[in-house]
Amino acid sequence: MSNSKPNRKRDVQFHFCANKEEADLIRQRMAATGIVSLGAFFRKMAIDGYHVYLDLSDVREMVRLLSSATNSMNQIAKRANATDNIYAADLEDLRQQYHSLWDAARGILDGLAKIK
């Protein structure tokens, strides 16, 4: 159906009806994608046929762990340069941090492998 406004970028309208459960599901999926415009959400779904929501909390946690391990390594290097000693407790702490980092990386890779 054409709209009467000739200068509109999008001049074709679509209209459909949904029941309450369908409308609630549409709003939930729209909220999950972060799209706030219902028109933009419908266009995206109609054109792409699916929506993608990336939960990056695992990646953010991995970056935090990486930053922590890097900071620890820098502190150990500073102490080693100042004292000519490397302490076993420092190395064990660093080993634990890298173990946590690799666990986080494996979790992310496992999650990505499940995407079909």
Side-chain angles (χ1 to χ4, degrees), residues 45-102:
M45 292 300 295
I47 292 169
D48 294 343
Y50 61 91
H51 70 277
V52 174
Y53 171 73
L54 295 176
D55 178 6
L56 298 177
S57 59
D58 291 340
V59 174
R60 281 190 285 277
E61 176 63 10
M62 186 173 151
V63 169
R64 186 192 69 76
L65 290 169
L66 181 59
S67 176
S68 177
T70 302
N71 289 339
S72 293
M73 188 168 34
N74 286 337
Q75 291 300 318
I76 291 169
K78 284 180 185 179
R79 235 178 313 193
N81 286 330
T83 65
D84 288 331
N85 285 324
I86 297 176
Y87 299 101
D90 289 340
L91 293 177
E92 178 58 25
D93 181 50
L94 191 58
R95 188 187 69 74
Q96 291 291 335
Q97 289 180 9
Y98 275 105
H99 181 72
S100 297
L101 185 60
W102 278 109

Side-chain angles (χ1 to χ4, degrees), residues 8-38:
R8 288 188 83 144
K9 181 179 177 182
R10 294 183 174 98
D11 61 352
V12 177
Q13 290 185 3
F14 292 91
H15 176 81
F16 71 96
C17 296
N19 63 32
K20 171 125 177 51
E21 292 79 20
E22 292 167 335
D24 289 341
L25 185 57
I26 289 168
R27 286 187 194 98
Q28 288 171 9
R29 288 189 177 173
M30 188 173 129
T33 63
I35 298 173
V36 294
S37 165
L38 190 59

